[in-house]
Amino acid sequence: MLEETLDRGREESKAREEYSSATMNEINSSGTASIGSMNQLQSIEGWLSARENFRVVSEEFPRQLPLFSVLSWNQALTDYHGTRIKPHIPTILRNHHVAYRFFGLHTRRNPGVVESTEKELETLLIDTHSKDSSNWKAAVVECANLYYVGGYGPSEIEVEIHNSREVHCNISQVLGDDSEVLEALRQVGPAMMEEVRHFCPNGWSSMAFHGRSRLGELGGKAVPTVLVFIRKGFRADFDKLEHHLLHILDGLRVSIELEILIGSITTASRVHAKALTYWEVPPEQPTNGYSIGVRGNTEEAGTLGGPAEQPEIDYPAGLDLKNSIKKLEAFSTTPRCLPETLNTLNKLKLMTKNAPIGQVVASSGKRLNVAGRRMDWALIQVVSDKARNHPPSPKYVHPAALFHKGGDYYKVTPDSLVRQFGTMKKDSWVIKNGRTTEVTVGVVNDMGRIVSWDNENIESVEVEVFGLSNEFIHYGNSGSFVVDRQGTLVGLLIGIDSSTSSYGAGFVTPIAAIQADVKSMTSGILSLDI
């Protein structure tokens, strides 16, 4: 029934544009807003911030949780904090009647994010058990001003006071296989999606169906939840949207929660993905987990062009080779440089002169297939026939993550090959070897997510995978093979969302859908030549 929402979305695409135009000068009774009246409505950031009573930051709105947090690794700021800021914090807090438990300088970022618009931010975290937040804002502003005097601006440092026992932070798990819950969500999904489109035309990014639990309680009983994600800065009457959605859920016989959050979906081959540094020479033949790129392109990796393009392909990607050579050249001038590093540097320089490994002969472009699933694949005719597809090695995976609900142990050897295609199954264990995250494991959610892809005017329903022991995906992982515990190829990574899970969520196109799309475009059949 989720697929019905896609059909309805495509049918209403033109209507939404006309609707937005018709509301240029007023806010109607349903709460939708015109361009001229948008400033009269709260942004999604403001609406969420107004509901958070136990978390205050020096800037306007706190960033959405969860955030990965470690002790700051900005040495210059840490030194300035230790000598010029830290001695004054207790006095400032005492003057504002804020009883603190502890405070410290931390580096924080969203799960799944490497280098993107959501950059790492240094934060002075102050934890309190007080529930009286009336003086918190004045305290964080005074603390922040101490950093500003030292030349650190709001884009480099923020100050936050929070009561960690009271702060609301849920994280996502797989929905679970309760048939009554699944049927209820299939029943209300189309109606809820219709409301979201109505209140937030062009402002919603996805609607998901997850099990949610409080941060720190992963593994406990998760509450079935519908999550609606809104793009940053979008303004709407979110109170009315929430009221309408809760009214739909109230009609069910099972208990299902609702959360409206900030979030967007992007492809995992995002241009701002971090460049890699190879401290060892990559394998001679293309290998899963290493990068490829368009010949001559040293600004991005993995993006191979649209259906009308047939570029030659380099291995490794020029972006990663350039970055590796730059880093190793700098390191070679230090006393710590070993002969092995110089040998690697010389071999990497030779690799820049390698011939292309092949050429793109067909690609899908970014579009929907006949079933309404997003397609983004490319076929490369390679020069060598020596490359083989090996399943990801479990060597660097925590042993506990190699199991899921008592399933069979993942058994592969260095000589194992991916020998067949398989089917992605709900609630099943999967593993992948990505360019920026290397080997990670995850579990397939029981329901797909309805996605409105950023800047592409495409809606689709995608298979969602959550990481089990670490972040399943980063930007730059696009195109990674996803295999099951038998080492069978079941899908291809295409997208990322970092806002909902403690370990980031990835979107996977089932290999069966790619096989069918390739056949329909080329009349050819995908096979694994082993």
Side-chain angles (χ1 to χ4, degrees):
M1 295 193 61
L2 287 177
E3 282 73 10
E4 294 177 8
T5 66
L6 293 177
D7 295 334
R8 189 173 303 176
R10 288 189 286 270
E11 292 168 1
E12 293 176 356
S13 178
K14 184 176 180 180
R16 273 184 284 156
E17 296 178 4
E18 294 172 351
Y19 171 80
S20 297
S21 176
T23 56
M24 284 289 286
N25 299 309
E26 64 179 353
I27 304 174
N28 67 25
S29 60
S30 297
T32 46
S34 69
I35 295 174
S37 62
M38 275 292 184
N39 290 333
Q40 300 179 36
L41 298 173
Q42 267 189 314
S43 68
I44 182 61
E45 293 89 348
W47 185 74
L48 291 171
S49 178
R51 296 172 153 229
E52 183 55 82
N53 298 320
F54 301 105
R55 190 170 173 235
V56 172
V57 295
S58 49
E59 290 307 299
E60 191 173 9
F61 304 122
R63 290 191 293 168
Q64 184 167 282
L65 298 174
L67 294 167
F68 278 174
S69 180
V70 296
L71 292 177
S72 176
W73 49 52
N74 184 325
Q75 192 59 52
L77 180 58
T78 299
D79 292 343
Y80 181 79
H81 166 81
T83 58
R84 304 294 296 275
I85 307 294
K86 185 177 179 179
H88 300 287
I89 300 300
T91 302
I92 292 174
L93 297 176
R94 185 167 54 250
N95 290 342
H96 289 282
H97 308 290
V98 178
Y100 68 93
R101 293 178 61 239
F102 56 83
F103 65 86
L105 195 62
H106 291 251
T107 298
R108 300 202 294 176
R109 65 173 175 83
N110 292 101
V113 174
V114 182
E115 291 182 6
S116 69
T117 55
E118 291 285 356
K119 293 183 178 179
E120 294 172 342
L121 184 64
E122 305 300 320
T123 305
L124 173 62
L125 284 176
I126 302 168
D127 191 29
T128 177
H129 282 171
S130 171
K131 294 184 180 181
D132 179 8
S133 60
S134 56
N135 295 327
W136 293 6
K137 188 68 175 183
V140 296
V141 169
E142 185 171 346
C143 291
N145 284 336
L146 295 179
Y147 292 100
Y148 300 160
V149 169
Y152 295 96
S155 63
E156 299 170 284
I157 181 72
E158 70 174 359
V159 180
E160 175 176 325
I161 297 178
H162 65 209
N163 183 328
S164 57
R165 293 180 177 178
E166 300 294 333
V167 167
H168 174 80
C169 179
N170 286 339
I171 54 175
S172 288
Q173 305 178 46
V174 293
L175 182 59
D177 56 1
D178 186 316
S179 59
E180 191 174 7
V181 170
L182 294 174
E183 180 56 34
L185 289 172
R186 294 188 186 101
Q187 175 187 334
V188 300
M192 296 185 75
M193 193 66 253
E194 186 174 344
E195 294 289 349
V196 172
R197 288 194 185 101
H198 180 65
F199 279 90
C200 303
N202 306 314
W204 70 278
S205 66
S206 68
M207 188 165 77
F209 309 90
H210 296 169
R212 298 282 278 178
S213 59
R214 187 177 175 84
L215 182 64
E217 299 177 359
L218 187 64
K221 183 172 176 57
V223 178
T225 305
V226 177
L227 297 100
V228 176
F229 292 94
I230 306 297
R231 293 187 174 95
K232 278 188 170 184
F234 190 78
R235 295 175 179 270
D237 192 333
F238 295 109
D239 284 329
K240 284 190 175 180
L241 171 61
E242 182 182 54
H243 174 76
H244 281 234
L245 296 178
L246 287 174
H247 179 71
I248 294 173
L249 292 175
D250 286 344
L252 297 174
R253 291 184 298 176
V254 295
S255 177
I256 295 175
E257 298 293 321
L258 170 71
E259 291 187 54
I260 301 175
L261 300 171
I262 301 168
S264 60
I265 308 298
T266 56
T267 60
S269 60
R270 190 169 177 160
V271 172
H272 297 291
K274 180 176 70 173
L276 300 185
T277 301
Y278 292 126
W279 294 95
E280 296 180 354
V281 180
E284 181 181 351
Q285 298 295 331
T287 303
N288 295 333
Y290 289 85
S291 61
I292 59 175
V294 173
R295 188 165 185 79
N297 186 343
T298 59
E299 302 302 320
E300 55 187 343
T303 301
L304 305 183
E309 302 173 70
Q310 294 188 331
E312 293 182 316
I313 302 301
D314 279 338
Y315 163 81
L319 169 69
D320 295 337
L321 269 183
K322 182 180 75 170
N323 182 71
S324 299
I325 291 171
K326 179 181 177 181
K327 293 290 181 66
L328 267 64
E329 283 181 336
F331 185 73
S332 68
T333 63
T334 68
R336 294 179 296 163
C337 183
L338 299 175
E340 292 85 350
T341 303
L342 291 176
N343 184 48
T344 298
L345 175 59
N346 290 331
K347 290 184 176 179
L348 290 175
K349 289 180 177 180
L350 289 175
M351 292 188 82
T352 63
K353 302 177 182 179
N354 285 352
I357 62 166
Q359 182 175 9
V360 172
V361 293
S363 60
S364 64
K366 297 173 182 178
R367 59 174 179 78
L368 298 180
N369 67 0
V370 293
R373 196 178 295 281
R374 188 182 188 278
M375 293 288 106
D376 190 7
W377 53 262
L379 298 180
I380 301 170
Q381 184 175 9
V382 295
V383 175
S384 170
D385 63 354
K386 296 179 181 179
R388 292 292 182 267
N389 292 308
H390 294 275
S393 168
K395 181 178 179 180
Y396 300 106
V397 178
H398 191 284
L402 296 175
F403 295 91
H404 176 60
K405 292 187 176 181
D408 295 334
Y409 191 76
Y410 178 65
K411 296 179 180 179
V412 299
T413 69
D415 297 326
S416 296
L417 295 174
V418 178
R419 298 180 179 276
Q420 59 185 352
F421 299 117
T423 302
M424 292 202 73
K425 299 176 182 178
K426 299 173 183 177
D427 207 25
S428 62
W429 183 97
V430 292
I431 186 169
K432 71 103 180 74
N433 188 5
R435 170 180 167 270
T436 51
T437 52
E438 298 183 346
V439 178
T440 58
V441 299
V443 59
V444 180
N445 195 24
D446 296 80
M447 287 186 68
R449 189 191 295 204
I450 307 169
V451 175
S452 173
W453 293 89
D454 284 4
N455 304 317
E456 292 184 17
N457 195 29
I458 291 178
E459 287 184 26
S460 61
V461 175
E462 301 298 337
V463 175
E464 195 171 24
V465 176
F466 295 118
L468 279 177
S469 63
N470 54 4
E471 296 168 283
F472 187 69
I473 182 173
H474 276 170
Y475 296 119
N477 278 189
S478 180
S480 300
F481 274 9
V482 177
V483 305
D484 61 17
R485 63 175 66 256
Q486 285 76 42
T488 300
L489 175 59
V490 295
L492 204 69
L493 269 176
I494 61 165
I496 181 172
D497 166 55
S498 59
S499 60
T500 63
S501 169
S502 60
Y503 298 127
F507 299 98
V508 179
T509 303
I511 193 64
I514 296 175
Q515 286 177 289
D517 201 53
V518 168
K519 185 175 182 180
S520 113
M521 281 192 66
T522 68
S523 299
I525 298 176
L526 286 184
S527 64
L528 291 168
D529 183 7
I530 60 173

